[in-house]
Amino acid sequence: MIQDKPRLLFGYARVSTEEQRLDLQIDALLKYGVERDRIFTDKASGASTKGRPGFRNALKAMRPGASLVVWNIDRLGRDLSELIQTADLLQKREAELVSLTQQIDTSTATGKLIFHVFGMLAEFERNMISDRTKAGLAARKKRGQNVGRKKSLQPDTELWDLVVSKVREGIPFVKIAEQIDGLGKSTLYNNSEALRAAAAIAEQNELVALKGSDDL
């Protein structure tokens, strides 16, 4: 069971399309005790924090003693990796997480254990991303010995950053190749591991930047 509500509550609600409604989530947050002017909302997919200003503002509002309340834990992101990063950020800000559907409350003993597990997984995820990036770049360098006339995809270039941004938006490689002249599908697939790792790092860096932000 979720225990007594903390004093400083912030809510977050999200739907994936403009056609969907936020009413169910907002009503649940209000019933729990979150004030309406402290509920942040987004109408966007969970593909990237860039397209979710409500989510970014909710994270900026987190401070010691605050709690982020969601109707369902899947409102925080599209996958376990993003959920782990968000939970890790909340823990570092000494804030709590409450999910009404799953009855998770990290201010309780059970919830603190969940936070501890999230912290361990966050560290594991960071190490995995680092390893994948190194492996992907090494493989790309090896394959680069036989580069054809297609555009070369090199880290720390404008083209690389552009492709990573499109990967973060959830655009498939086939579509990316169609959108960028001279960039072949094979080049994207050959660099897929490094690109996905770079996209994950970019997401993580955004969350870390929010952690260090003074704009509360």
Side-chain angles (χ1 to χ4, degrees), residues 152-171:
S152 177
L153 194 56
Q154 304 285 343
D156 301 321
T157 62
E158 290 185 7
L159 178 61
W160 179 271
D161 293 341
L162 175 61
V163 174
V164 169
S165 69
K166 290 181 178 295
V167 171
R168 291 182 63 193
E169 292 171 11
I171 302 174

Side-chain angles (χ1 to χ4, degrees), residues 53-130:
F55 179 67
R56 293 173 61 85
N57 289 332
L59 292 181
K60 288 180 181 180
M62 292 299 100
R63 64 199 72 177
S67 287
L68 180 61
V69 186
V70 293
W71 173 66
N72 192 302
I73 203 165
D74 66 4
R75 299 300 84 196
L76 295 176
R78 58 178 176 172
D79 53 33
L80 180 60
S81 174
E82 188 168 351
L83 173 59
I84 290 170
Q85 293 170 20
T86 301
D88 187 46
L89 173 62
L90 293 175
Q91 187 176 27
K92 289 176 179 177
R93 287 200 168 190
E94 299 180 33
E96 308 295 347
L97 172 64
V98 176
S99 176
L100 303 179
T101 300
Q102 288 80 20
Q103 293 195 331
I104 295 174
D105 183 347
T106 60
S107 68
T108 67
T110 301
K112 291 183 187 302
L113 175 61
I114 292 174
F115 247 178
H116 179 67
V117 172
F118 277 152
M120 293 174 58
L121 290 174
E123 181 63 27
F124 177 74
E125 176 72 8
R126 284 190 289 268
N127 292 335
M128 288 292 291
I129 289 173
S130 177

Side-chain angles (χ1 to χ4, degrees), residues 8 10 20-21 28 34-35 43 65 71 99 124 137-138 141 146-147 150-151 179 181 184-185 207:
L8 188 57
F10 294 90
Q20 295 174 319
R21 298 180 64 85
V34 184
E35 296 180 11
K43 288 192 174 183
W71 173 66
S99 176
F124 177 74
L137 292 177
K141 183 176 181 180
N146 297 312
V147 175
K150 294 289 185 180
K151 283 186 177 179
Q179 294 173 7
D181 291 337
K185 292 182 291 184
L207 293 176

